[in-house]
Amino acid sequence: MKDSTKKISKFGLFAKGSIYLISGILTLLSALNMGGSKSGKFKVLDFLEKQPLGNVILIVLALGLISYSVWRFIQCFSDPENEGSDTKAKLKRTGFGVSGLIYLALAGLAIKKVVAGGGSSSGGQNYVDTFGPTVITIVFIIIGVALAVKAIFHFKKAYQKKFMDEYSIADLKYHKLAKNAGYFGYYARAVVSGIIAFFFLKAGLYSGQNEIKGTQDAFSFLQDSSYGDILLGLVAAGLACYGIFVVLLSKHKKFD
C-alpha cells in the first residue's frame, strides 16, 4: 500500500476520532449537569464553529473527514486490506462506501458553515414532499434494518474483542488504554445504532411520521428512560472512549 494512502487513512481516522471524542464529552457533561449538550456528529460542528479560530478548526476537520471518506472509498472499491469478494466481504465493503458518503456529507456541512457563516444544517423536511411517503417509508425501513445489522456487528466486535487486530503492535505504549476504550466504545456505538434503528423502523412501519432521527435523538431517548442520566452518561462516556480508541488507531493502525 502506498505511503500516501496510509497518511490519508491516518489523518481521516484522527478526524473521525476527534468527532466522537468531542460528542461524547459534551453529552457526558450534559448528563452530569455540568454544561455541555446532547451532541451528535452534526452538533459537534456547531460547537467547534463557536470556538476561537472556529473556521480554521472546521476547515482542518473538513479536510480530515474528506480524507476519511477517501480511505473508505478506497476500501470499498480497491480492497487494499484483502477483505475478499464473498458475500460477507461485499456487504462489509458496501458499508465502507456508505460510511464514506456519510463523512463526506459531514465534511461538506463543515465547509458550508465556513463559507456561509453557519446556519442550520437542514432546510426542513421537504424530502417527504419530493419523494412521496411510500418511497420514504421503504427507505426508512432499509435504513432501520441496516442500522440494526450495524448494532449487532458492533456488539459482536466488542464481545469477541477482535478490534485490537487493527493495531500494528501489541506492546504499544497505550495498548491497555486502547483496548479498554475500544471495548467500552463499541458497546456504546452498538446501543446508539440500535436505538436509531428502532426509530427508523418504527417510523417506516407504524407511525408514518417520517422524521430523520440521529445520535442526538438517541441520547434524548436514553435520558427520558428510567435512570436516564446514568444511562446517558455511560453511553456518552463510551462514545468518548471510542473517540480515544480511533485517535490512537490513527497512529498505530496496521495496514499489511
Side-chain angles (χ1 to χ4, degrees), residues 63-129:
L63 291 174
L65 294 174
I66 291 172
S67 296
Y68 185 73
S69 297
V70 170
W71 167 241
R72 282 309 203 192
F73 292 142
I74 291 173
Q75 287 181 300
C76 177
F77 296 109
S78 299
D79 193 20
E81 297 179 302
N82 300 315
E83 295 290 347
S85 57
D86 58 12
T87 301
K88 182 179 178 181
K90 287 180 179 178
L91 289 173
K92 190 172 182 178
R93 289 170 65 181
T94 299
F96 291 152
V98 173
S99 177
L101 291 173
I102 291 172
Y103 282 94
L104 189 61
L106 189 61
L109 182 58
I111 294 172
K112 181 181 177 182
K113 283 183 171 294
V114 175
V115 175
S120 62
S121 61
S122 173
Q125 301 295 334
N126 295 327
Y127 56 88
V128 176
D129 296 331

Side-chain angles (χ1 to χ4, degrees), residues 188-239:
R189 288 197 70 193
V191 170
V192 172
S193 295
I195 293 172
I196 300 174
F198 167 75
F199 286 152
F200 274 96
L201 289 172
K202 181 180 178 182
L205 293 171
Y206 300 110
S207 70
Q209 297 176 352
N210 303 113
E211 297 181 21
I212 291 179
K213 300 289 187 178
T215 303
Q216 192 172 344
D217 300 289
F219 288 150
S220 296
F221 178 84
L222 285 170
Q223 193 170 38
D224 293 339
S225 62
S226 301
Y227 306 103
D229 286 338
I230 295 175
L231 291 175
L232 178 62
L234 286 173
V235 172
L239 291 181

Side-chain angles (χ1 to χ4, degrees), residues 137-211:
T137 294
I138 294 172
V139 170
F140 271 44
I141 292 173
I142 293 173
I143 293 173
V145 171
L147 286 169
V149 172
K150 182 180 179 181
I152 294 171
F153 171 77
H154 287 322
F155 269 121
K156 183 179 178 181
K157 198 164 187 178
Y159 178 76
Q160 295 179 338
K161 299 180 182 179
K162 290 185 176 180
F163 49 84
M164 288 304 293
D165 293 344
E166 299 178 66
Y167 278 80
S168 59
I169 50 177
D171 57 347
L172 61 97
K173 183 177 180 181
Y174 300 106
H175 178 269
K176 188 173 182 180
L177 172 62
K179 184 177 180 179
N180 292 333
Y183 183 70
F184 192 13
Y186 272 106
Y187 273 126
R189 288 197 70 193
V191 170
V192 172
S193 295
I195 293 172
I196 300 174
F198 167 75
F199 286 152
F200 274 96
L201 289 172
K202 181 180 178 182
L205 293 171
Y206 300 110
S207 70
Q209 297 176 352
N210 303 113
E211 297 181 21

